[in-house]
Amino acid sequence: QLVVVESGGGSVQAGGSLRLSCTASSSVSIDQYYMAWFRQVEGKDREGIAAIRTGGGSPDYADSLNGRFTLSEDSDKNTVFLQMNCLNPEDTAMYYCAAGWVLSTHSLLPDVYNHWGQGTQVTVSS
């Protein structure tokens, strides 16, 4: 069982930056699982934006990000960081972190994850 906790959302003006954090914890030793970020606007499907296999994997990103977001990992703390730059109002959404043992080819698909955080709101004003 994984417990996932996000932090770092908030409000920012267009062009600004935010950094989201996500920590996964478990009562047993865990490694080489995926941690991923998704976002969802009310009334729309949850969108995968970035994922990484913990323990040194390379991040995967949604094509739509155009290089504005960077996902990094602090493996000692089971924590990943999503650095979001050049934010625009279209980035406004609830951002969710998920964790689990998934196939690399499915890392940005929300349906394959069983462990989710509570979500953190990101609001970008024009």
Side-chain angles (χ1 to χ4, degrees), residues 61-71 83-86:
Y61 297 100
D63 293 339
S64 61
L65 297 180
N66 294 320
R68 297 181 297 120
F69 294 5
T70 302
L71 184 62
Q83 178 67 41
M84 305 186 295
N85 298 326
C86 300

Side-chain angles (χ1 to χ4, degrees), residues 1 19 26 31-33 35-36 43 45 53 55 58 67 71 74 76 83 85 87-89 92 94 97 101 104 111 124:
Q1 183 73 10
R19 190 175 83 154
S26 174
D31 62 5
Q32 295 193 3
Y33 54 96
M35 295 183 74
D45 292 337
R53 183 180 59 81
S58 297
L71 184 62
D74 182 340
D76 291 339
Q83 178 67 41
N85 298 326
L87 287 163
N88 58 64
T92 295
M94 184 70 79
C97 183
W101 290 266
S104 60
D111 291 347
V124 184

Side-chain angles (χ1 to χ4, degrees), residues 1-4 24-30 99 101 114-116:
Q1 183 73 10
L2 292 172
V3 177
V4 179
S25 60
S26 174
S27 59
V28 298
S29 178
I30 52 176
W101 290 266
N114 292 324
H115 304 95
W116 291 86

Side-chain angles (χ1 to χ4, degrees), residues 7 11 38-39 50 52 65 71 74 82 87 89 94 100 116 122-123:
S7 63
S11 297
F38 298 82
R39 64 185 181 186
I52 189 169
L65 297 180
L71 184 62
D74 182 340
L82 184 67
L87 287 163
M94 184 70 79
W116 291 86
V122 171
T123 302

Side-chain angles (χ1 to χ4, degrees), residues 33-49:
Y33 54 96
Y34 272 85
M35 295 183 74
W37 283 98
F38 298 82
R39 64 185 181 186
Q40 189 170 23
V41 176
E42 188 173 353
K44 294 188 176 181
D45 292 337
R46 193 165 292 190
E47 174 192 11
I49 53 177

